[in-house]
Amino acid sequence: GAVVSQHPSWVICKSGTSVKIECRSLDFQATTMFWYRQFPKQSLMLMATSNEGSKATYEQGVEKDKFLINHASLTLSTLTVTSAHPEDSSFYICSAPPRGRTQETQYFGPGTRLLVL
Amino acid sequence: DQQVKQNSPSLSVQEGRISILNCDYTNSMFDYFLWYKKYPAEGPTFLISISSIKDKNEDGRFTVFLNKSAKHLSLHIVPSQPGDSAVYFCAAGMGAGSYQLTFGKGTKLSVIP
């Protein structure tokens, strides 16, 4: 089946540094990818929609200057957490629906756990 | 304001018995619903879905029931197997062709051999 990968799977960084997380669709093209964040015992919360070749759209309350999204190709979207702070520590997960497929065929990556010290 | 709620954080069921996972929603604009299964260190995987025009969808051991008037859906697994032990997320979406989903917090199912 289709696979979505994320790199890194976990990262620990110091406060104030920037962290880049990659989301790749390995065997299909995705013009759109989604970035979610999950805090402990909370829901997966949609942060932004990444669109290939255009600007990402952000959900209300998500700072676009802090969470930079780049969707440079049909198989890669990156999320950069700029000037990370401890409150940004969370589980970040991306998803990608293959082009032209139904809503059910949305594949999720394994997630990236970020810990900011 | 949580639009999709899974009020039971965990559920334990004996192997072979029925598992029933519940989900409530508040937004009447949602028109399709999905259940995802998630193992530790993996992303959620799609399990079963239901459109708002239906009240039941069945796929093998998994059946999803939708009660629109009550804004409630449930996932039935029968018979439950130890391999079903995972976290189950209920998700809802609106609009044909829209992939944006609103998730519940998840219910951790433990199937006891």
Side-chain angles (χ1 to χ4, degrees):
Chain A
V3 176
V4 173
S5 70
Q6 280 184 243
H7 178 80
S9 56
W10 60 270
V11 58
I12 302 173
C13 69
K14 292 182 179 179
S15 184
T17 60
S18 293
V19 175
K20 181 188 280 188
I21 302 170
E22 292 184 349
C23 176
R24 292 182 186 273
S25 56
L26 297 184
D27 54 1
F28 65 94
Q29 293 181 334
T31 53
T32 301
M33 292 184 177
F34 299 96
W35 286 97
Y36 292 84
R37 178 169 56 182
Q38 184 183 24
F39 292 108
K41 298 184 180 180
Q42 298 298 315
S43 315
L44 284 163
M45 296 296 294
L46 180 66
M47 296 175 65
T49 302
S50 173
N51 303 299
E52 189 267 336
S54 63
K55 290 183 179 180
T57 54
Y58 291 81
E59 296 301 301
Q60 192 172 15
V62 178
E63 301 174 57
K64 62 181 181 180
D65 294 329
K66 181 170 182 63
F67 298 99
L68 301 179
I69 290 174
N70 185 282
H71 197 145
S73 75
L74 288 171
T75 59
L76 173 64
S77 175
T78 60
L79 168 68
T80 301
V81 184
T82 62
S83 187
H85 291 284
E87 57 265 29
D88 298 322
S89 299
S90 188
F91 186 66
Y92 293 85
I93 193 165
C94 69
S95 72
R99 276 203 300 187
R101 300 291 297 276
T102 62
Q103 289 155 326
E104 290 87 351
T105 49
Q106 176 170 188
Y107 299 102
F108 284 81
T112 297
R113 193 163 297 280
L114 170 64
L115 176 61
V116 184
L117 302 177
Chain B
D1 178 33
Q2 234 186 328
Q3 297 188 60
V4 177
K5 300 177 184 177
Q6 292 177 259
N7 292 319
S8 297
S10 62
L11 174 69
S12 289
V13 172
Q14 205 72 30
E15 181 180 3
R17 307 295 291 269
I18 185 171
S19 296
I20 300 176
L21 296 98
N22 294 303
C23 178
D24 298 291
Y25 62 97
T26 57
N27 191 338
S28 57
M29 297 297 290
F30 289 138
D31 57 10
Y32 71 97
F33 305 89
L34 309 94
W35 284 94
Y36 285 85
K37 179 179 179 180
K38 185 181 181 303
Y39 292 115
E42 295 182 11
T45 55
F46 169 72
L47 195 58
I48 193 169
S49 66
I50 188 166
S51 160
S52 60
I53 62 173
K54 293 185 175 182
D55 55 17
K56 178 183 175 181
N57 189 25
E58 191 172 353
D59 183 3
R61 296 186 296 113
F62 303 92
T63 303
V64 56
F65 295 92
L66 175 63
N67 182 332
K68 282 184 64 178
S69 60
K71 294 191 176 70
H72 177 83
L73 63 154
S74 60
L75 174 68
H76 292 212
I77 306 173
V78 56
S80 300
Q81 299 173 355
D84 296 329
S85 297
V87 177
Y88 289 79
F89 288 96
C90 170
M94 64 179 85
S98 170
Y99 294 96
Q100 291 187 346
L101 299 175
T102 302
F103 283 84
K105 291 183 179 182
T107 297
K108 184 177 182 180
L109 173 66
S110 299
V111 180
I112 304 163

